[in-house]
């Protein structure tokens, strides 16, 4: 599998990397060490010591960096060796460092050409900025390719079949859907009319349990697999402006070809105070159960059925609801193909 | 590994597929869904939905067929899509269906050319017809190639060494054995004289415990690995007609190259009534323990020793008792070679 | 991975193979059966019966050899079939036998050209001869390549970082080290001055807890991975002759490319009587905990980081302390390369 390189990947929630944390996380098949330097700035290094290949996360934080657990070499946040207990520092004692940015409550990693790592390219998740929102955060590990996760979110018609008792009973046939592309961003919008919600959502949205509602979930996708959902509902027939809407975020990064990291969250404005925080936590907990017990087994079963085959080689039958997912796949495939072409051109020139 | 395709494989006991069962079973490396249609007739489909490759057995029975668990496509027993909740039914929305027959208390599957699937080719296991016999049924999963199982049953001299405390103490040297082939059916017969049986067999056969007996086990093999055993005993020196004989059945189907499905049974005539049923259950339970704790560990250890090697490439030393197993292997190898030749001829002609 | 063939590999402690033991041990990817014949002499055979490939260790000892668990073939310690319950002994009924020697409390196996198997080539571990020493013996299984274990022992500067609370606090910078090679034997010596020992070592050496000591660990390595350590200490500034020294032995044999057998021991002279035995057991137990909980996780993490890559292809950065380990690796690599060249020459001549 070829991964897109010149793009920002989510590596962790900000809170996953505390002051003393040495977080070991495999991303795109590469073992990465995430930690905060003395100034609290997140740093990302290859997790493999260049001496004897010990994993650095098994070591410990020291002043100025991290110390290898095996023979005590120390490296700073830029990957330079700053101490060799056995004498002079060899020139080759360097570990690869990755551009890394903490933004929108997340730690973003750049695994391509460092010269092109521009923080402005990170998609807008300012809905998760700590000064703006309380963000209820969760993490799951998935034994499936990350693009299957994009497919899952971009076609929410599966709610009716996979989540009938937990997330909704929305009649697929009644849904009004639309797909739009602006640049490399894909939008997949979906509204059901006269829908019945799961009980926890009525509570969330302060609506009488059982009230028929108009329900919308508008998804914005950016490569590689970063999705922002505007999810709301209002009494049937009333304008959206009278309803309640939440920002729900789904983010995926490949660990390997067949396993993925999955971060998701629900946000409420800080202006709601403690109640907003509490309701965001309840909402995200309401999501975690079906994600864990209904989506993950399905995604892992899909992956097992696909095995080592290329997705398109299996000639999937396409339905109307696939429009958004297919658009996102096409954008991603094109970005990857462009990178390959660039690399070939560069190789040819050299 | 090349599997024989144009032959009936056992897929399940009849009772394994109830009215609401969606049975997922991998056969010859292919995931198969077995279920009963509205008329109660067993149907067999590829278990992979052609839309997003979800396993259909995770879905549910609906009128006229099964519904995919993920986005709700419905398929009938012939694999045709009969409902798409998102609109028209795409032409390509079809899953592969397999010829399947319920016969002799078993569900038989044909994984080759459907045009050649003739139920008359199923070997005669009418001893298990429900109107004729009570059949005590068992199933085991084995981490070994299915032909090793054929070898095991076709050379029962192993009883002396592998099952001394459970199935018999028959002296191998004293056994009278014979092997015969009629068409593609192989017979491997074995008789011991003055043998001492395990206690449960004396009870089964209403003989005094410890009485020296003449004991016979006559095996009939048909491809791929379907075996009927006539197993009986009589007081030493008396004619077989005075003894008691049971039909014991052993059936194997490859799940993968290195794992197999194993069905076995003991039958008693329905004329014996409740007692026949009870004794068949006791007999089959008496077999299950040594099969599970003595045969399976041996077969799995053999498989581990063989690894990825071709069986014949390891140049097994052949003993007298191997005659039946080797004959069966030769028949199977020839049938597979003939299929390959036919395929090459067809490819050449086209 | 290519293994050195014409060298003595440790296969087991002598006591691992009792009078009735059939020990199954995979060495250099080959399943080997170790047992004692009627005279008590250790024999080593391929563990795979040539008839149906059953593992012989699942069988039982019989007069004159071992009996296969499946169909009862019997083999003597030279691998010749001595009994076939089904009749004549087929000429091909032979299992491979390996030259094997019991020496220095160990069982040594030769996996190369039998004609070259000279017991005089076994490195001198007479410190473990039963008539001379009480030997406290341990065995561990390691999920890492055996040469990583050589690296580990040959550069004990890791004690400071990997074992700070268990084996010592010796300042790496203060260590006096030297490396020497005589023929194919490599010596890696290390001394720390004014060192503080772990408590159990003060007790071992009858020194007041907390006393600053001069501590030495002198390692002798022979291919493939057999190491003898002279480990001692004395009050700082005093001559070694006044101190206490133990023979500590570390021996490794590849099970597979990525897993190893690990035997280690501590010896005390039999002249010390019961006290020497007890103290050797205490010492080896004091080592087992850090070996199990500190070294093994590190070695297994290294192996996971290296994966399928060739060690040198990863271009390890070399530090001063690596001199001994690198020398040992070079000797081993040359011995393996020489064997390959010999094989090519022989193939060319033929």
């Amino acid at each position: 599998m070829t991964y897109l390189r010149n793009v920002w990947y989510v590596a962790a929630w900000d809170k996953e990397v505390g002051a003393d944390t040495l977080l070991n996380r495999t991303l795109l098949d590469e073992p990465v060490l995430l930690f905060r330097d003395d100034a609290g700035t997140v740093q990302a290094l290859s997790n493999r010591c260049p001496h004897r290949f010990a994993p650095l996360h098994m070591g410990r934080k020291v002043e100025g960096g991290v110390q290898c657990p095996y023979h005590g070499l120390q490296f700073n946040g830029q990957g330079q060796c700053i101490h060799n207990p056995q004498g002079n520092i060899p020139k080759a004692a360097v570990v690869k460092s990755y551009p890394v940015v903490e933004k929108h409550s997340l730690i973003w990693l750049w695994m391509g050409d460092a010269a092109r790592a521009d923080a402005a390219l990170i998609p807008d998740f300012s809905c998760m900025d700590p000064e703006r929102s309380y963000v209820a955060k969760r993490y799951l590990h998935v034994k499936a390719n990350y693009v299957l996760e994009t497919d899952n979110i971009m076609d929410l018609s599966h709610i009716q079949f996979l989540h009938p008792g937990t997330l909704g009973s929305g009649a697929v046939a009644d849904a009004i859907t639309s797909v739009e592309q602006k640049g490399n961003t894909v939008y997949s919008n979906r509204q059901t009319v006269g829908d019945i919600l799961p009980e926890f959502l009525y509570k969330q949205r302060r609506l009488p349990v059982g009230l028929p509602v108009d329900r919308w979930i508008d998804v914005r996708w950016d490569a590689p697999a970063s999705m922002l959902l505007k999810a709301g509902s209002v009494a049937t027939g009333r304008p959206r402006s009278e309803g309640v809407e939440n920002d729900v975020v789904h983010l995926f990064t490949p660990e390997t070809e067949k396993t993925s990291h999955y971060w998701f969250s629900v946000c409420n404005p800080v202006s709601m105070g403690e109640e907003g925080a509490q309701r965001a936590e309840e909402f995200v907990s309401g999501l975690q159960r079906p994600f864990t017990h209904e989506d993950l087994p399905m995604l892992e079963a899909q992956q097992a059925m696909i095995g080592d085959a290329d997705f398109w080689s299996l000639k999937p039958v396409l339905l109307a609801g696939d429009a958004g997912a297919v658009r996102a796949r096409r954008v991603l495939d094109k970005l990857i193909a462009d990178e390959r072409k660039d690399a070939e051109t560069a190789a040819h020139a050299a």
Side-chain angles (χ1 to χ4, degrees), chain A:
Chain A
M1 153 153 284
T2 307
Y3 300 113
L4 184 61
R5 310 299 310 190
N6 291 303
V7 73
W8 289 102
Y9 282 95
V10 177
W13 285 118
D14 50 4
K15 65 166 189 176
E16 288 186 90
V17 184
D20 292 318
T21 307
L22 296 180
L23 181 64
N24 169 35
R25 186 153 276 167
T26 295
L27 302 159
L28 289 67
D29 297 317
E30 296 179 23
V32 176
L33 169 73
L34 296 162
F35 71 101
R36 292 184 186 276
D37 63 21
D38 298 343
T41 306
V42 173
Q43 306 289 357
L45 301 179
S46 165
N47 194 27
R48 198 176 79 182
C49 180
H51 171 224
R52 287 283 167 184
F53 318 125
L56 295 174
H57 80 279
M58 290 172 75
R60 59 191 190 88
K61 282 274 303 268
V62 291
E63 208 191 305
V66 294
Q67 177 179 284
C68 176
Y70 202 4
H71 300 88
L73 290 183
Q74 296 181 4
F75 300 91
N76 68 12
Q78 289 68 52
Q80 294 161 322
C81 183
I82 53 174
H83 180 63
N84 169 14
Q86 299 183 23
N88 293 334
I89 293 172
K91 240 183 172 174
V94 176
V95 288
K96 183 180 176 179
S97 73
Y98 299 90
V100 63
V101 169
E102 188 169 354
K103 198 172 172 185
H104 305 323
S105 294
L106 289 160
I107 296 167
W108 301 83
L109 200 70
W110 185 270
M111 304 192 77
D113 176 6
R116 296 174 58 184
D118 178 359
L121 297 173
I122 292 173
D124 181 9
F125 284 98
S126 55
C127 58
M128 293 202 293
D129 286 348
E131 57 276 18
R132 189 171 139 186
S133 304
Y134 179 86
V135 186
K137 302 164 183 175
R138 294 291 186 277
Y139 169 83
L140 291 170
H141 184 262
V142 191
K143 293 190 196 73
N145 180 271
Y146 71 110
V147 191
L148 294 176
E149 291 279 8
T150 297
D151 294 343
N152 183 64
I153 304 292
M154 293 295 271
D155 179 10
L156 293 171
S157 78
H158 78 263
I159 290 177
Q160 180 181 354
F161 302 98
L162 197 56
H163 308 301
T166 50
L167 291 182
S169 56
V172 167
D174 300 343
I176 304 148
T177 62
S178 69
V179 170
E180 204 182 346
Q181 182 176 341
K182 289 185 192 159
N184 284 328
T185 302
V186 178
Y187 297 86
S188 178
N189 301 334
R190 137 176 234 94
Q191 179 166 349
T192 42
V193 175
D195 205 346
I196 302 300
L197 298 176
E199 200 173 311
F200 84 94
L201 277 183
Y202 283 110
K203 288 182 185 161
Q204 274 294 321
R205 290 169 178 163
R206 288 183 276 195
L207 291 167
V209 173
L211 178 79
V213 297
D214 293 350
R215 180 187 190 183
W216 65 94
I217 310 181
D218 294 347
V219 188
R220 185 198 75 197
W221 173 92
D222 284 287
S226 299
M227 283 162 273
L228 170 62
L229 281 66
K230 301 275 181 188
S233 38
V234 68
T236 288
R238 304 300 307 168
R240 282 197 184 189
S241 58
E242 291 180 10
V244 179
E245 185 181 85
N246 290 91
D247 290 319
V248 179
V249 173
H250 295 261
L251 306 147
F252 304 95
T253 296
E255 179 183 58
T256 67
E257 196 177 334
K258 293 182 185 172
T259 59
S260 306
H261 302 288
Y262 179 12
W263 299 268
F264 62 96
S265 70
V266 171
C267 312
N268 268 331
V270 290
S271 60
M272 285 177 69
E274 183 54 40
E275 195 200 334
Q278 196 184 318
R279 280 169 57 193
E281 289 293 342
E282 284 169 10
F283 194 158
V284 87
S285 295
L287 295 176
Q288 184 164 12
R289 178 179 295 266
F291 290 1
T292 304
H293 298 290
E294 293 166 357
D295 286 294
L296 260 56
M298 177 55 60
L299 285 151
E300 298 180 2
Q302 271 183 291
Q303 180 63 61
M305 281 290 180
I306 292 171
D308 293 318
D310 170 73
F311 179 78
W312 292 114
S313 77
L314 298 176
K315 299 189 180 140
V317 170
L318 297 181
L319 307 182
D322 290 310
V326 168
R327 197 73 72 94
R329 277 188 177 265
R330 296 292 184 208
V331 171
L332 183 64
D333 287 349
K334 183 171 186 314
L335 289 169
I336 292 170
D338 287 351
E339 279 195 356
R340 192 178 300 158
K341 240 177 288 167
D342 287 356
E344 277 162 15
T345 307
H348 195 72

